[in-house]
Each structure stands twice: as structure tokens, then as C-alpha cells.
Amino acid sequence: MTTATSSDAPSRSAAIQELGDTDKREIQRVFEAQRLRALALRTSTAAERIEKLQRLRQLMFERRKDIHAACFTDFAKPASEVEATEILPVVGEAHHAMRSLKRWMKPDRKRPTLLMFGTTAEVRYEPRGVCLIISPWNYPINLSFGPLVSAIAAGNTVILKPSELTPACAKLMESFVRELFDEDEITVIQGAVDTSQALLALPFDHIFFTGSPAVGKIVMQAAAAHLTSVTLELGGKSPVIVDKSANLKQTATTLVWGKFANNGQTCIAPDYVYVHADVKEDFIAACREALVKLYGHADAMQDNADYCRIVNDKHYQRVRGLLDDAVERGAKQLTAATPANDDRYIAPVMLTDVPDDARILEEEIFGPLMPILSYIDLAAPLAAINARPKPLALYIYSKDKEVVEQIISQTSAGGTCVNQAMLHFLHGQMPFGGVNNSGIGNSHGHYGFKAFSHERGVLREKFSLAFLFLPPYKGFTKWFIRFAVRWLS
Ligand code: NAD
């Protein structure tokens, strides 16, 4: 195990920031070292993997003040939000994996189908090998160490490339990993697009990417060169439907939290809301109340330490641009957005009367803006949702079971919450992932373990009838094959 700590080790990241030939050779060297180690890890036991998870979990707990500080430096993320959305999901994931790993690793016995009478079969979960995890900036710790937990549980080596947009978190994660793991088992390589692309050029056994659909396509193309398997956790516009039967207070509270937590920079944030026309005004009033309850009055909100900031100037300008474009096209801004470019503050904004061609209805918002659209006939929002790429999440607020069922069965989405927002992310027994444009494959719990495992079928011969199918295809053999086809047809 590496004994170097963050303070006494030379920064590996510094070597790979500006990617020259030496840096590419350095990446190649780490990759080759991991290839060898991955072979040794094939036979690692549940106890060995659990011990690694325990060390990671413990370090995160002991150094949580450092995690708070790094998240604050990167985007003024409040400490409690860091606990709830960066640390808790990872330690929860590790806890769940540690308790379940022995069961997950057990070969899965399969009963023979009729034709396979006389054989035994099992599915074994073997480590994929050398894995690459590329993560985004919006939940920098959670979305790096969360998949790392699954990769460790499944017995892999990992190169982790965190986002360059949250450098304090990336540096901290690098120091944690150095403290806990050998470089040839798990390593953090920092850098931006160049580094990411240098890594993507290597023949990894699996790539787990979290980020935008646009970059997801680049990742998948790079993976195709080596036929590397991928898990793509992407984003997009997650719609909300508020039926007239919904409990508006509960709806408003959970939606306001879902939309404005992390300043709206959440992949599964409710992006835009369809509310039934009969309850639109009451819904807006309930949202105003919920805003005050959660974040205080608008004029004091900028000083509220519970309200996060936009990550950088580029994203600040992007979000302001979406708002300005909508307002210029006639949208009504219900709450004031006090711009404060100096600390990238944008107050929570609700918008109505947003025209269809506004950019805010086309691009993923990823900021604290909530367009509210109304409907009379449910068919209209369903058709609009189905006309767009399949979303990562779809939220339904209704007390009417038939309406809920109608919406679920007539749409497709990565995941759905009914009368709640975003909570499905934390449910360790459910798959978390998108569908098509919002992602490929799943993560979390057993699904995360399986994402980082190859499911290998192993058949053992006992007394099967396979010999009856062998050539020459004459006489009895010919008759028997025809008989088998007819029998099963
Ligand atoms: P991004 O796609 O810009 O970047 C993600 C990672 O890819 C970063 O590490 C970055 O360095 C790297 N990257 C960027 N451009 C690249 C390129 N051309 N080639 C190779 N690598 C490249 O995403 P982001 O801005 O960091 O995060 C926001 C996006 O991520 C949103 O779309 C959001 O919905 C999505 N997201 C999805 C989930 C999920 O679980 N499904 C979670 C969080 C964020």
C-alpha cells in the first residue's frame, strides 16, 4: 500500500495537466501496471474487497471537514448539503455493498432448460478488469467515489478522472486515493479534455462515464475502437407532471428542494413543470411559500449559507442567458433573479408563459430556473414528453392511481418518483440510470456491482443428450433433430 500522504507526495496531477508525450507515457505506464494487478485481483475475496471499502468509508468520515472545505471552495456548497448529497450517498453505498457483497459474488445457479437436461449451469460475476471512471463536477465526490465503491466491490482496478471544474475536490480525492491504495490498483489522474481523451484512447475493460449526453457520445465512440463496454450516466431535461389531485403543499416543498438544491445543478433536478390549469395558481402560491420556508425571503437569500452557487462564470453566463432569452421572448418571471456576477449568485426563479421556442425549453437548464407550463388534457404533456429524448427522471404528483399508471405506462424515463423528487437516487435496491439519450446501463447497489462485473455463464456437462445432435446427419440423428424441433414448436 502507498504510504505517501497528500502533503508529502509529489502531485501526479501536476505531471499530467499539460499533456505532452511524457505525460501520455506516464498514463500508459499506470495503465499497464493496473493491467497486471487486475489479473491478480480476479481471485480477490469478499473479505479483501470489504476491507478496502471499509478503509475508504472510514477515511471519508474522518476527513469530512476537508470534504466540506473542498466543496465550499469549488462552489460554495453548504456543509449540510455536502453531508447529505456528497458523503451520505457514498458511505451508504459502501455500507450496502459491504453487507451484501458475499451474496452478490456467489455464482448464480441456473436450472436447465428442457434442451439442456443433463447439464448444470451457473452465472459467475467476474471483475471486468481495468476500469476508467470519468466524473462530472456537479456532485464531484459522490459521482466519483460512488462508482468507485461498486468498482472495488466487483474486484477491479480503477483509473478515476474527476472533473477539472471542481479542482479542490479533485485534489482532495487524489490525496485520499493515494493514502488508501497502491497506484497499480486505484489511481486518480487529474486533467481536462486532453487527459480524458488520452485515457479514452486506451483499451480499458470498462468505462463508467457520468456527464452530458454530448460528451457521452464522444466516450462511446472512443470505446467502440476497442469494443470496451460502457456505462453512461447522462443528463437531459427531466419533466414534472402535477395533476389536479396532487397535495400541493407536499408537491411544492419537494419540487422546490429538488429544483434549487445544489443551485439546480443536479442531473435529476426537476427541469420543467406541467401543472393542471385548475391548480396552477395554487401551485405557484405553494411554491412561493415553500421557497420562503426552505431558503428565506428573496431579499436575504444571497446571504443564506444554505443556498449554493453556480460552479463557474461560463455556467453563470449560460444560465443567465437561458433566463434572458425566455424573458425576451415573452416569459413572465415570477420571482426576482438578482444577478450577482461576482459570486455567481442566481436567486430561485419561477417562470410562466414560456414560449415553445425558448431555449430554456430545449436545453438542460442545470440552474435555479423553473419553467411552469399548464395543461388541461393530460394527452398534451404526454405527447410533448414523448416527442423529446427520453429523460433521466420523470416526476409525477397525483393522488389518482389511474393517472399515475397512465403517465408511467405511456412514457419512458430512466427513473420515476411519485409524489417525491430525486429520492430514487438514494434507494440502494433500485437501478439508477438513464435510457438512450439520458444514459446506458445502471449504477447503485447490486446494479452497480453488476455494471463493473462480467456475467460469465459456465455450463458443466453431466449426462446431456448433446451427442444425439452430432453429425453425420442421417438416420436416427436426422429424425431426432426434426423431432426436437417439432416437439418444441
Ligand atoms: P461534461 O460531459 O462536460 O464532463 C464530464 C467529464 O467529461 C469531465 O470529467 C470532463 O473533463 C470530461 N470531458 C468533457 N469534455 C470532454 C471531451 N470532449 N472528451 C472527453 N472527455 C471530456 O459534464 P459536466 O458539465 O461535468 O456535468 C454536467 C452533465 O452531467 C449534465 O448533463 C448532467 O445532467 C450530467 N450528469 C449526469 C448524472 C447522472 O448520474 N446521470 C449525474 C451528474 C451529472
Side-chain angles (χ1 to χ4, degrees):
M1 200 186 82
T2 314
T3 50
T5 63
S6 54
S7 52
D8 62 25
S11 174
R12 195 180 300 134
S13 55
I16 303 180
Q17 282 300 355
E18 286 179 13
L19 224 58
D21 284 348
T22 322
D23 306 323
K24 284 187 183 154
R25 277 199 295 276
E26 173 66 1
I27 290 179
Q28 183 79 36
R29 182 191 64 73
V30 175
F31 178 78
E32 294 300 341
Q34 289 212 355
R35 266 186 155 173
L36 288 178
R37 184 68 173 263
L39 289 177
L41 285 186
R42 288 201 165 280
T43 48
S44 59
T45 63
E48 286 163 348
R49 299 179 192 180
I50 287 170
E51 191 264 336
K52 288 173 203 167
L53 294 176
Q54 169 57 15
R55 281 193 278 137
L56 176 63
R57 194 169 73 139
Q58 193 172 331
L59 190 70
M60 283 191 74
F61 180 72
E62 285 167 2
R63 302 271 298 277
R64 60 194 188 287
K65 290 268 152 49
D66 295 343
I67 300 178
H68 295 171
C71 290
F72 189 83
T73 305
D74 283 335
F75 53 138
K77 188 160 176 160
S80 298
E81 215 162 281
V82 173
E83 296 270 339
T85 65
E86 302 282 359
I87 301 175
L88 188 66
V90 179
V91 294
E93 186 77 27
H95 181 258
H96 181 42
M98 288 162 71
R99 286 169 66 111
S100 317
L101 193 53
K102 274 196 189 135
R103 183 165 41 85
W104 293 347
M105 284 174 72
K106 261 198 194 138
D108 207 355
R109 287 277 166 96
K110 298 292 176 192
R111 282 164 46 158
T113 53
L114 211 52
L115 277 179
M116 290 299 102
F117 181 72
T119 65
T120 62
E122 64 186 20
V123 177
R124 295 170 70 121
Y125 297 93
E126 60 180 39
R128 286 195 184 271
V130 187
C131 297
L132 172 64
I133 296 176
I134 300 179
S135 52
W137 55 265
N138 62 327
Y139 288 86
I141 308 281
N142 176 351
L143 298 174
S144 300
F145 280 176
L148 182 64
V149 165
S150 299
I152 294 172
N156 298 282
T157 69
V158 176
I159 294 180
L160 166 62
K161 211 284 300 163
S163 172
E164 67 282 16
L165 300 189
T166 38
C169 288
K171 194 168 167 221
L172 186 70
M173 287 190 284
E174 183 178 351
S175 80
F176 280 14
V177 165
R178 274 175 172 272
E179 204 168 321
L180 293 174
F181 302 105
D182 289 338
E183 174 192 72
D184 63 356
E185 186 171 346
I186 299 168
T187 196
V188 172
I189 293 184
Q190 292 193 58
V193 176
D194 272 6
T195 306
S196 199
Q197 293 192 341
L199 286 163
L200 286 169
L202 297 171
F204 280 93
D205 295 303
H206 189 69
I207 299 172
F208 187 105
F209 170 80
T210 308
S212 57
V215 179
K217 288 174 192 167
I218 295 172
V219 170
M220 198 160 170
Q221 250 171 8
H226 304 291
L227 294 178
T228 295
S229 54
V230 290
T231 304
L232 302 178
E233 296 282 352
L234 309 177
K237 294 181 81 62
S238 296
V240 181
I241 298 179
V242 182
D243 174 43
K244 61 183 170 188
S245 69
N247 174 335
L248 292 183
K249 195 171 170 195
Q250 181 196 10
T251 304
T253 308
T254 55
L255 274 186
V256 161
W257 168 71
K259 183 72 191 183
F260 301 113
N262 216 40
N263 217 200
Q265 303 165 112
T266 305
C267 56
I268 46 170
D271 189 279
Y272 59 107
V273 182
Y274 282 108
V275 57
H276 194 282
D278 288 0
V279 294
K280 182 181 166 193
E281 291 313 317
D282 291 345
F283 169 73
I284 290 170
C287 285
R288 285 186 197 276
E289 257 179 56
L291 260 177
V292 173
K293 198 168 150 213
L294 268 60
Y295 295 109
H297 285 279
D299 45 6
M301 201 173 291
Q302 195 168 353
D303 300 323
N304 184 342
D306 287 349
Y307 192 68
C308 190
R309 293 292 183 269
I310 299 289
V311 71
N312 60 21
D313 282 344
K314 190 175 145 215
H315 279 282
Y316 176 84
Q317 297 302 347
R318 183 187 60 77
V319 178
R320 289 284 317 170
L322 289 180
L323 177 60
D324 294 345
D325 172 74
V327 172
E328 272 164 28
R329 287 171 196 267
K332 222 162 101 191
Q333 187 176 330
L334 298 185
T335 39
T338 324
N341 207 352
D342 50 338
D343 77 341
R344 303 187 303 277
Y345 168 77
I346 299 181
V349 177
M350 293 191 281
L351 293 155
T352 56
D353 304 326
V354 185
D356 283 347
D357 60 351
R359 278 170 45 216
I360 201 169
L361 292 185
E362 281 164 11
E363 298 168 27
E364 182 178 6
I365 298 173
F366 231 58
L369 316 177
M370 182 158 96
I372 299 171
L373 315 167
S374 63
Y375 71 92
I376 295 169
D377 183 352
L378 186 57
L382 293 185
I385 290 167
N386 285 332
R388 293 201 165 108
K390 293 171 192 162
L392 184 56
L394 188 157
Y395 301 110
I396 305 166
Y397 287 89
S398 174
K399 284 190 205 146
D400 186 331
K401 284 186 186 155
E402 275 178 28
V403 169
V404 172
E405 188 47 43
Q406 187 186 353
I407 298 171
I408 295 176
S409 59
Q410 292 186 18
T411 56
S412 176
T416 279
C417 287
V418 178
N419 296 321
Q420 186 52 273
M422 308 212 296
L423 213 59
H424 62 304
F425 183 89
L426 284 175
H427 199 304
Q429 305 284 9
M430 292 214 298
F432 179 81
V435 49
N436 298 135
N437 195 65
S438 54
I440 293 176
N442 287 309
S443 56
H444 292 185
H446 197 188
Y447 296 92
F449 171 83
K450 289 207 273 189
F452 283 98
S453 303
H454 167 60
E455 295 179 63
R456 177 176 182 171
V458 178
L459 178 143
R460 288 189 170 86
E461 170 66 30
K462 293 269 184 194
F463 47 83
S464 77
L465 301 181
F467 68 92
L468 292 177
F469 291 82
L470 302 182
Y473 302 120
K474 291 182 187 148
F476 176 77
T477 305
K478 197 169 166 184
W479 174 86
F480 183 76
I481 293 173
R482 287 211 179 131
F483 168 76
V485 171
R486 254 189 242 128
W487 187 35
L488 293 179
S489 301

